[in-house]
Amino acid sequence: MSTENEGTAVPPAPSAPPVPVDAPAAPAPEGQAAQGPGPYGQDSQGQPAHGQGAPGDAAHHGVSSSAPDPSWPPPPPPTSPYGDGGSGSGGGWGSSYQQPAPKSGRGRSGLAAALLVAALVAGGLGGGLGYTLAKNNDDNSGSTTVSASSSGGDVKRDPGTVAGVAAKALPSTVTIEAESTNGEGGTGTGFVFDKQGHIVTNNHVVAGAVDGGKLTATFPSGKKYDAEVVGHAQGYDVAVIKLKNAPSDLKPLTLGDSDKVAVGDATIAIGAPFGLSDTVTTGIISAKNRPVASSDGSGSQASYMSALQTDASINPGNSGGPLLDAQGNVIGINSAIQSTGNGGFGTGQSGSIGLGFAIPINQAEYVAQELIKTGKPVYAKIGASVSLDDSSDGAQITDQGAGGAAPVEPGGPAAKAGLKPGDVITKLDDRVIDSGPTLIGEIWTHQPGDKVTITYERGGKQHTAEVTLGSRIGDN
């Protein structure tokens, strides 16, 4: 399923969230349907949250292209950019932050202010009255004064509590500001990967600063460092940047095992939603292996993942931040959300509805290591072009490859396994494949050289074949 990437185009955050000034919107008339979910969100494992069909919608709806093979990337999708809620207003996770403009009239904020003043006045009267009574009592003989305890005891936050995990993890997260050569900027999140100063984040967070742009990373302590892009993988939506003049006391976050994550496990997300740095939210793993095709609405090709789904609140600016388990281990990189398209903070930008998606850390760790070594991503492939149209039947090998290439690469993994144009791939190992994007996301959870079993249909009959995955270097 396609979704919105979050985490770009947000100017420096205000010191505090803006105070709402408008009166609440009038409730919808009885019987009026609420606005449905936005484009393909990020979810797509046979259960698209958007209700529009199979994965690949929104970002690559109706486009045929090559699966993970040399014909990548597929042509740009003919649909509205992510983050505009289908309104065509653009923005996506990269839209800029704007303070809501105050309007005339008291409205709700006036009432809130009145209530606040009333509470303060009542407190003052109560205090004054209490003092008067106490004074009168003191004037009488035999009066007794009772003082309250001055301490409620020590507050202890064990390492396993959310507060304990946050206190340990926050010093190793950064808010990233990326500025392109034309001055356009965005905000996202990253986390310390090693003691050499490498920071892992999303590709869409730093993509604008790749060619001569400017990058900075700010720690919760307020220390800011210039940074440079070491490597970025658009297909995986993973990037690695490196701090210039990195401090010697960096503490990399501990990486967990995303393969062992179970539905229902507690999650903690750290990021800078709408530019509000060092924000911590909590939730659970609500699904695993969720096929997601996401885009940032900039015209770039989609990213594919077999994602961890969480209901921890994830918003624009959380992109690239760590998704932690209850012990504080990184189990994923927050990357995208399913959204209804309703804006927040006056930006028209979509916000969290409890459907967030993270790149599993086992995959992201491999990608990051390759980027640090060579500066280029390495993708596993089967060497066949598959349709990216909405489907629920499987991933069909096309009759013609992208750009005039052969649909099945001669001598490639699929050809060696006997696959042909028209075959419909329905399973990869034990994973059900319902569309081309789902297949790509599943293949990319593997590494070149891995052996997988592919189940496919041809002429109404089911067949299986063992395929040794090939490799492709780079995004183009």
Side-chain angles (χ1 to χ4, degrees):
M1 92 197 251
S2 49
T3 54
E4 306 172 13
N5 281 340
E6 42 78 21
T8 59
V10 182
S15 58
V19 177
V21 296
D22 294 332
E30 183 176 356
Q32 179 174 323
Q35 184 175 0
Y40 207 11
Q42 291 195 19
D43 168 6
S44 143
Q45 174 157 355
Q47 312 175 25
H50 55 72
Q52 295 182 6
D57 193 280
H60 297 279
H61 181 272
V63 180
S64 291
S65 180
S66 172
D69 70 354
S71 61
W72 171 268
T79 56
S80 60
Y82 291 102
D84 65 354
S87 65
S89 59
W93 285 134
S95 61
S96 59
Y97 179 97
Q98 294 179 355
Q99 195 100 329
K103 295 182 180 181
S104 60
R106 292 183 59 168
R108 184 172 182 178
S109 62
L111 176 60
L115 291 174
L116 178 59
V117 171
L120 292 173
V121 170
L125 289 175
L129 181 61
Y131 171 78
T132 301
L133 292 177
K135 183 176 185 303
N136 290 339
N137 285 337
D138 287 343
D139 291 339
N140 298 327
S141 60
S143 63
T144 301
T145 301
V146 179
S147 61
S149 173
S150 61
S151 173
D154 294 335
V155 177
K156 294 182 179 180
R157 296 181 176 88
D158 296 330
T161 64
V162 174
V165 170
K168 183 177 180 180
L170 275 168
S172 296
T173 62
V174 297
T175 298
I176 298 172
E177 294 183 13
E179 184 178 313
S180 64
T181 54
N182 61 9
E184 294 182 357
T187 299
T189 309
F191 62 91
V192 178
F193 186 70
D194 58 28
K195 293 185 177 181
Q196 286 69 51
H198 291 108
I199 304 292
V200 172
T201 185
N202 281 143
N203 171 72
H204 73 264
V205 170
V206 302
V210 169
D211 298 321
K214 180 181 179 181
L215 278 177
T216 60
T218 305
F219 286 85
S221 64
K223 293 183 178 179
K224 179 181 288 189
Y225 297 86
D226 290 333
E228 60 185 353
V229 177
V230 172
H232 61 108
Q234 182 271 323
Y236 291 121
D237 198 18
V238 174
V240 176
I241 66 175
K242 187 174 183 180
L243 305 178
K244 297 179 181 179
N245 301 314
S248 59
D249 59 349
L250 290 175
K251 295 182 179 180
L253 290 182
T254 302
L255 304 185
D257 186 347
S258 51
D259 290 340
K260 295 182 179 179
V261 171
V263 173
D265 281 352
T267 58
I268 301 171
I270 299 179
F274 295 99
L276 303 174
S277 300
D278 315 320
T279 295
V280 177
T281 57
T282 63
I284 63 169
I285 293 293
S286 52
K288 293 179 61 179
N289 306 309
R290 187 69 79 188
V292 173
S294 62
S295 170
D296 59 8
S298 65
S300 62
Q301 303 302 324
S303 301
Y304 298 94
M305 68 185 89
S306 182
L308 297 175
Q309 179 179 307
T310 181
D311 65 350
S313 183
I314 297 174
N315 285 290
N318 276 104
S319 277
L323 183 68
L324 310 172
D325 62 17
Q327 289 71 46
N329 304 310
V330 182
I331 55 175
I333 300 177
N334 301 317
S335 181
I337 64 170
Q338 167 75 30
S339 177
T340 61
N342 292 326
F345 281 85
T347 64
Q349 201 171 137
S350 302
S352 173
I353 59 170
L355 289 173
F357 304 92
I359 303 165
I361 195 60
N362 290 7
Q363 176 184 10
E365 180 183 14
Y366 163 73
V367 176
Q369 290 172 340
E370 290 296 320
L371 293 176
I372 291 172
K373 289 178 183 177
T374 67
K376 296 181 179 180
V378 178
Y379 297 90
K381 69 171 187 176
I382 62 171
S385 177
V386 296
S387 172
L388 298 180
D389 289 343
D390 283 349
S391 170
S392 60
D393 300 325
Q396 183 174 27
I397 299 179
T398 57
D399 293 327
Q400 184 175 356
V408 178
E409 177 187 344
K416 291 179 180 178
L419 293 171
K420 299 179 180 180
D423 289 346
V424 179
I425 298 173
T426 57
K427 291 182 70 176
L428 190 149
D429 289 335
D430 60 348
R431 299 277 186 246
V432 174
I433 303 300
D434 58 6
S435 69
T438 302
L439 176 64
I440 297 173
E442 286 297 332
I443 289 174
W444 285 354
T445 64
H446 293 77
Q447 298 179 19
D450 286 354
K451 295 183 184 296
V452 298
T453 298
I454 286 181
T455 302
Y456 64 96
E457 293 180 357
R458 178 190 298 169
K461 295 182 179 181
Q462 183 172 288
H463 306 270
T464 60
E466 186 176 79
V467 176
T468 300
L469 299 176
S471 65
R472 173 173 60 81
I473 300 176
D475 283 310
N476 298 318

